[in-house]
mmCIF file of all heavy atoms in Angstrom:
data_model
loop_
_atom_site.group_PDB
_atom_site.id
_atom_site.type_symbol
_atom_site.label_atom_id
_atom_site.label_comp_id
_atom_site.label_asym_id
_atom_site.label_seq_id
_atom_site.Cartn_x
_atom_site.Cartn_y
_atom_site.Cartn_z
ATOM 1 N N VAL A 313 254.575 -162.453 12.042
ATOM 2 C CA VAL A 313 254.777 -162.584 10.591
ATOM 3 C C VAL A 313 253.698 -163.492 10.023
ATOM 4 O O VAL A 313 253.823 -164.676 10.239
ATOM 5 C CB VAL A 313 256.185 -163.035 10.203
ATOM 6 C CG1 VAL A 313 256.344 -163.224 8.693
ATOM 7 C CG2 VAL A 313 257.207 -162.088 10.770
ATOM 8 N N GLY A 314 252.801 -163.051 9.222
ATOM 9 C CA GLY A 314 251.774 -163.889 8.596
ATOM 10 C C GLY A 314 250.925 -164.514 9.641
ATOM 11 O O GLY A 314 250.818 -165.804 9.743
ATOM 12 N N TYR A 315 250.270 -163.743 10.509
ATOM 13 C CA TYR A 315 249.409 -164.274 11.506
ATOM 14 C C TYR A 315 247.902 -164.222 11.199
ATOM 15 O O TYR A 315 247.559 -163.271 10.459
ATOM 16 C CB TYR A 315 249.671 -163.559 12.927
ATOM 17 C CG TYR A 315 249.503 -162.128 12.840
ATOM 18 C CD1 TYR A 315 248.308 -161.486 13.228
ATOM 19 C CD2 TYR A 315 250.499 -161.279 12.425
ATOM 20 C CE1 TYR A 315 248.129 -160.133 13.168
ATOM 21 C CE2 TYR A 315 250.348 -159.901 12.406
ATOM 22 C CZ TYR A 315 249.203 -159.290 12.737
ATOM 23 O OH TYR A 315 249.053 -157.948 12.636
ATOM 24 N N SER A 316 247.147 -165.137 11.542
ATOM 25 C CA SER A 316 245.676 -165.134 11.270
ATOM 26 C C SER A 316 244.901 -165.615 12.487
ATOM 27 O O SER A 316 245.310 -166.482 13.247
ATOM 28 C CB SER A 316 245.408 -165.971 10.048
ATOM 29 O OG SER A 316 245.693 -167.403 10.377
ATOM 30 N N PHE A 317 243.752 -164.971 12.614
ATOM 31 C CA PHE A 317 242.837 -165.472 13.644
ATOM 32 C C PHE A 317 241.418 -165.130 13.167
ATOM 33 O O PHE A 317 241.151 -164.467 12.161
ATOM 34 C CB PHE A 317 243.137 -164.891 15.006
ATOM 35 C CG PHE A 317 243.332 -163.340 15.043
ATOM 36 C CD1 PHE A 317 242.165 -162.505 15.051
ATOM 37 C CD2 PHE A 317 244.498 -162.734 14.860
ATOM 38 C CE1 PHE A 317 242.216 -161.144 15.164
ATOM 39 C CE2 PHE A 317 244.593 -161.343 14.898
ATOM 40 C CZ PHE A 317 243.532 -160.501 15.036
ATOM 41 N N ASN A 318 240.388 -165.611 13.894
ATOM 42 C CA ASN A 318 239.008 -165.431 13.624
ATOM 43 C C ASN A 318 238.264 -164.445 14.480
ATOM 44 O O ASN A 318 238.945 -163.852 15.324
ATOM 45 C CB ASN A 318 238.267 -166.861 13.496
ATOM 46 C CG ASN A 318 238.198 -167.514 15.028
ATOM 47 O OD1 ASN A 318 238.453 -166.839 15.977
ATOM 48 N ND2 ASN A 318 238.016 -168.757 14.996
ATOM 49 N N ARG A 319 237.060 -164.269 14.332
ATOM 50 C CA ARG A 319 236.291 -163.204 14.960
ATOM 51 C C ARG A 319 236.211 -163.591 16.529
ATOM 52 O O ARG A 319 236.124 -162.669 17.345
ATOM 53 C CB ARG A 319 234.858 -163.192 14.396
ATOM 54 C CG ARG A 319 233.946 -161.984 15.066
ATOM 55 C CD ARG A 319 232.679 -161.733 14.189
ATOM 56 N NE ARG A 319 233.072 -161.305 12.897
ATOM 57 C CZ ARG A 319 233.317 -160.035 12.617
ATOM 58 N NH1 ARG A 319 233.320 -159.120 13.586
ATOM 59 N NH2 ARG A 319 233.554 -159.635 11.427
ATOM 60 N N THR A 320 236.115 -164.765 16.880
ATOM 61 C CA THR A 320 236.006 -165.147 18.241
ATOM 62 C C THR A 320 237.264 -164.622 19.008
ATOM 63 O O THR A 320 237.183 -164.076 20.097
ATOM 64 C CB THR A 320 235.941 -166.728 18.400
ATOM 65 O OG1 THR A 320 234.836 -167.204 17.739
ATOM 66 C CG2 THR A 320 235.946 -167.026 19.936
ATOM 67 N N VAL A 321 238.417 -164.800 18.406
ATOM 68 C CA VAL A 321 239.671 -164.158 18.915
ATOM 69 C C VAL A 321 239.724 -162.673 18.949
ATOM 70 O O VAL A 321 240.146 -162.014 19.896
ATOM 71 C CB VAL A 321 240.888 -164.764 18.299
ATOM 72 C CG1 VAL A 321 242.191 -164.250 18.830
ATOM 73 C CG2 VAL A 321 241.008 -166.346 18.458
ATOM 74 N N TRP A 322 239.204 -162.092 17.813
ATOM 75 C CA TRP A 322 239.110 -160.664 17.743
ATOM 76 C C TRP A 322 238.243 -160.102 18.901
ATOM 77 O O TRP A 322 238.623 -159.073 19.535
ATOM 78 C CB TRP A 322 238.523 -160.181 16.485
ATOM 79 C CG TRP A 322 238.083 -158.783 16.505
ATOM 80 C CD1 TRP A 322 236.880 -158.313 16.311
ATOM 81 C CD2 TRP A 322 238.884 -157.632 16.830
ATOM 82 N NE1 TRP A 322 236.773 -156.868 16.465
ATOM 83 C CE2 TRP A 322 238.115 -156.442 16.735
ATOM 84 C CE3 TRP A 322 240.234 -157.434 17.087
ATOM 85 C CZ2 TRP A 322 238.501 -155.180 17.011
ATOM 86 C CZ3 TRP A 322 240.702 -156.108 17.327
ATOM 87 C CH2 TRP A 322 239.899 -155.023 17.224
ATOM 88 N N LYS A 323 237.159 -160.733 19.273
ATOM 89 C CA LYS A 323 236.283 -160.239 20.375
ATOM 90 C C LYS A 323 237.112 -160.286 21.630
ATOM 91 O O LYS A 323 236.936 -159.327 22.529
ATOM 92 C CB LYS A 323 235.039 -161.080 20.430
ATOM 93 C CG LYS A 323 234.032 -160.800 19.346
ATOM 94 C CD LYS A 323 232.784 -161.624 19.605
ATOM 95 C CE LYS A 323 231.704 -161.262 18.545
ATOM 96 N NZ LYS A 323 230.396 -161.997 18.798
ATOM 97 N N LYS A 324 237.917 -161.378 21.943
ATOM 98 C CA LYS A 324 238.663 -161.309 23.111
ATOM 99 C C LYS A 324 239.672 -160.210 23.164
ATOM 100 O O LYS A 324 239.881 -159.607 24.153
ATOM 101 C CB LYS A 324 239.394 -162.689 23.180
ATOM 102 C CG LYS A 324 238.463 -163.861 23.439
ATOM 103 C CD LYS A 324 239.242 -165.181 23.528
ATOM 104 C CE LYS A 324 240.086 -165.226 24.831
ATOM 105 N NZ LYS A 324 239.231 -165.366 26.003
ATOM 106 N N ILE A 325 240.231 -159.943 22.016
ATOM 107 C CA ILE A 325 241.217 -158.845 21.859
ATOM 108 C C ILE A 325 240.581 -157.502 22.111
ATOM 109 O O ILE A 325 241.120 -156.653 22.861
ATOM 110 C CB ILE A 325 241.995 -158.870 20.500
ATOM 111 C CG1 ILE A 325 242.834 -160.097 20.407
ATOM 112 C CG2 ILE A 325 242.842 -157.597 20.351
ATOM 113 C CD1 ILE A 325 243.452 -160.328 19.000
#
Side-chain angles (χ1 to χ4, degrees):
V313 177
Y315 55 96
S316 67
F317 52 85
N318 61 20
R319 183 169 296 278
T320 301
V321 174
W322 163 243
K323 285 184 175 181
K324 291 179 70 70
I325 294 172

